[in-house]
Amino acid sequence: MQKVVPSAHAARRVPARGAWSQRLQPYFYVVPAALFVTLFMLYPMVSTLWQSVTDANGLNAPRFVGLANYRAFLADPNTLNALRNSLLWVVGAVTLPVGLGFAFALLLERLPGAALFKSSVFLPYTISGTVAAILFGYVLDANNGLLNLLLQWLGLGSLTHRWLFESPQNTWSMIAAYTWQATGTNLMIFLIGLQGLPNEPLEAAKIDGASGWTYTRRILIPMLSPFITINVLMAAINGFKTFDLIWVMTQGGPARTSETLAVTMYRESFALFHQGYGAAIAVVISVIALVFSYGYLRTTFRQEAS
């Protein structure tokens, strides 16, 4: 009996058992992440974008109003003041926590037995923004606040202020509270970066005579640029979206002088029921954050490439 041997062409046409399951198997790992992104990121983004061009108020059926909410944003002095405060928050959040975290990392990396100080700097990050706001509310109280009492005890009564009731001192006071809470995480990220640096180029730089600020500027900062990028981006985004600390300490007051875009968005959406207008403010916040992130990353990558 002659044995029939299938041709190579026929063998290619007949898929092996389990071939389809092997081809589809990678997609089963992707589906949960795709569903998560679609449900919790893409859908809210599209929904917010649509709501921003309507007069939604949570009570009546929304009507399409085009760019009216964005025109109202540009014409409203309160939102422009909130934008100015938000930019001030970004500057403060990037400069103070990141700068102090970097300085402390350089100092503690060279000091033996600095674990206690590291823990004390990082500990405030473990508490919520609400707790930090309540704590600094007592410190900055106009009448019996710890800061004013300390200044009076030192004979510096002329420096006392109503820290949370005068602009722009109220914004800078809240940035100081945020700095106390956020410096720890920047410190830890920089310490991780310092511990992971290779020893050979560092020792070669020291042999060549690099020291002090020259050593930090020309050797450490370029080698730590990925960690600096992470901290700066996180600080900028957190500065834009800070809400709980501001709401607990001043609620954007007095007379809305310390409001940021995040606080204005909350007030318009949930206190005044201008949800379409609040969605437009959310879109503005997202666009500003994306533009800043894109510009900063592009500049950083160009510098690293050159």
Side-chain angles (χ1 to χ4, degrees):
M1 182 176 180
Q2 187 178 3
K3 184 177 181 181
V4 179
V5 180
S7 64
H9 181 70
R12 285 195 299 269
R13 287 185 300 175
V14 179
R17 180 176 296 180
W20 286 108
S21 63
Q22 292 178 359
R23 292 179 183 177
L24 294 176
Q25 186 176 4
Y27 296 98
F28 291 122
Y29 296 101
V30 177
V31 166
L35 289 175
F36 179 85
V37 171
T38 301
L39 293 176
F40 296 101
M41 295 185 66
L42 294 181
Y43 174 75
M45 288 172 58
V46 174
S47 177
T48 301
L49 187 61
W50 160 249
Q51 204 172 44
S52 70
V53 294
T54 68
D55 62 349
N57 57 16
L59 300 175
N60 303 320
R63 294 183 300 109
F64 180 76
V65 295
L67 300 178
N69 290 323
Y70 296 96
R71 289 194 295 267
F73 173 85
L74 295 176
D76 188 352
N78 289 320
T79 55
L80 294 179
N81 178 70
L83 176 60
R84 184 167 53 250
N85 286 336
S86 295
L87 296 177
L88 188 63
W89 263 92
V90 171
V91 172
V94 170
T95 304
L96 297 176
V98 177
L100 288 175
F102 185 72
F104 286 154
L106 294 179
L107 179 63
L108 298 178
E109 194 261 342
R110 301 172 184 175
L111 292 178
L116 180 61
F117 186 79
K118 294 178 186 177
S119 301
S120 63
V121 174
F122 183 74
L123 188 61
Y125 184 72
T126 61
I127 66 176
S128 67
T130 302
V131 174
I134 294 174
L135 176 62
F136 269 81
Y138 288 116
V139 173
L140 300 173
D141 184 74
N143 297 320
N144 298 314
L146 179 61
L147 180 57
N148 281 344
L149 292 177
L150 180 61
L151 290 174
Q152 292 175 0
W153 182 74
L154 293 174
L156 302 174
S158 60
L159 298 179
T160 60
H161 284 282
R162 301 172 67 215
W163 300 101
L164 298 179
F165 295 93
E166 298 176 1
S167 180
Q169 286 92 339
N170 47 14
T171 297
W172 283 112
S173 298
M174 291 184 288
I175 291 176
Y178 173 82
T179 300
W180 174 77
Q181 186 187 19
T183 299
T185 181
N186 293 281
L187 168 64
M188 291 303 167
I189 292 176
F190 282 129
L191 285 175
I192 293 172
L194 287 172
Q195 293 171 0
L197 294 180
N199 293 324
E200 291 78 6
L202 300 180
E203 293 176 355
K206 292 179 180 179
I207 292 174
D208 290 340
S211 61
W213 172 241
T214 302
Y215 174 76
T216 301
R217 181 170 60 91
R218 295 186 177 273
I219 306 299
L220 287 182
I221 292 180
M223 296 182 71
L224 288 173
S225 59
F227 300 92
I228 295 174
T229 300
I230 292 172
N231 278 337
V232 169
L233 281 179
M234 289 177 55
I237 293 172
N238 289 334
F240 262 115
K241 71 182 184 66
T242 299
F243 168 78
D244 50 357
L245 190 144
I246 301 173
W247 188 257
V248 172
M249 293 185 74
T250 65
Q251 292 190 0
R256 306 183 69 171
T257 56
S258 63
E259 273 194 13
T260 61
L261 288 177
V263 176
T264 303
M265 178 186 65
Y266 175 84
R267 187 188 300 278
E268 295 290 342
S269 298
F270 303 107
L272 302 177
F273 295 102
H274 301 156
Q275 295 182 357
Y277 188 36
I281 297 174
V283 172
V284 171
I285 295 174
S286 301
V287 169
I288 293 175
L290 287 174
V291 170
F292 174 83
S293 301
Y294 173 78
Y296 180 75
L297 288 175
R298 185 177 182 181
T299 303
T300 302
F301 292 154
R302 281 183 176 179
Q303 291 176 351
E304 290 181 357
S306 61

